Amino acid sequence: MAKAAFITGGASGIGFAVAKSLAADGWLVGLADVNAAGLEAARAAIPGAETYAMDVRDRGAWQAALADFAGKSGGRLDFLFNNAGIAVGGQLETMSDADIDRGLSININGVVHGARAAHDLLKATPGSAMIVTSSAAGISGNAGMSIYSAGKFAMRGFAEALNAEWGQEGIYVGSLMPSFIETPLLNHVTQDSNRNVHESVRAAGLEITPVEEVVKTVRHMLDIRRDVHTRVGKTAHRLWFMARWMPSTLRKLQRRAFK
């Protein structure tokens, strides 16, 4: 029986790239996304993929999708890539209640619902894994990104806790912490609405990492099953170092950049 992976945010970006890599190695992949049209395009690009148009905030949708996928995988779930998320930016006092609620409910609750819905399948599959997508924004909170950072910091703690809880059951849990990755999500976060986000990133002296590097990292995490938190991109590694060894300097740099 082929290995099986269920991937949220699978219609584009990191989710789609990881799905394509796994499918090329013979995995059965289930792609979940709120973007139904994007899912159709993804299914055309990955023959044999199962697709599920769903909102990760909906517990019932999680249960229905995973039950259907388990029927096609022979009850296997080797890998849950709990990856779906949205980019929300802006100063807290200027954000709408709707944007705040949407950002927190998708980036936190949606991942929690997925973990709960998938647990029994993961437990029943020897050597299974769940990776949640955090971010470099989960290493250091940046001005203008408080709600996004809140969700990504939450994923750090969530992964650590479940790595301890589920490790006893043979389930590896890790968090993926990419910096700026060349995906469609990059087009939705910027503190300066008058500047293209790519320009903002490069003006700050930061790099944009190819999505292929993220795919390699995810595959490495699945093979090694060791570290809880894994960074991708030079920016993420630099932030991790500075947050640990130079926190006051990092805070000063961030305040200066925001001004």
Side-chain angles (χ1 to χ4, degrees), residues 96-144:
S96 69
D97 291 343
D99 283 344
I100 290 171
D101 290 346
R102 184 166 175 261
L104 294 176
S105 62
I106 292 175
N107 292 348
I108 299 176
N109 294 346
V111 178
V112 174
H113 297 337
R116 282 172 58 86
H119 175 251
D120 287 347
L121 287 171
L122 291 168
K123 185 177 179 179
T125 308
S128 62
M130 178 179 76
I131 294 175
V132 302
T133 299
S134 179
S135 168
I139 299 172
S140 173
N142 293 316

Side-chain angles (χ1 to χ4, degrees), residues 141-177:
N142 293 316
M145 296 180 65
S146 60
I147 297 303
Y148 187 70
S149 287
K152 297 309 180 179
F153 266 88
M155 289 304 96
R156 284 180 62 179
F158 190 59
E160 285 187 13
L162 288 187
N163 186 274
E165 287 183 27
W166 292 4
Q168 303 175 66
E169 300 170 338
I171 306 169
Y172 164 73
V173 179
S175 77
L176 178 71
M177 310 186 82

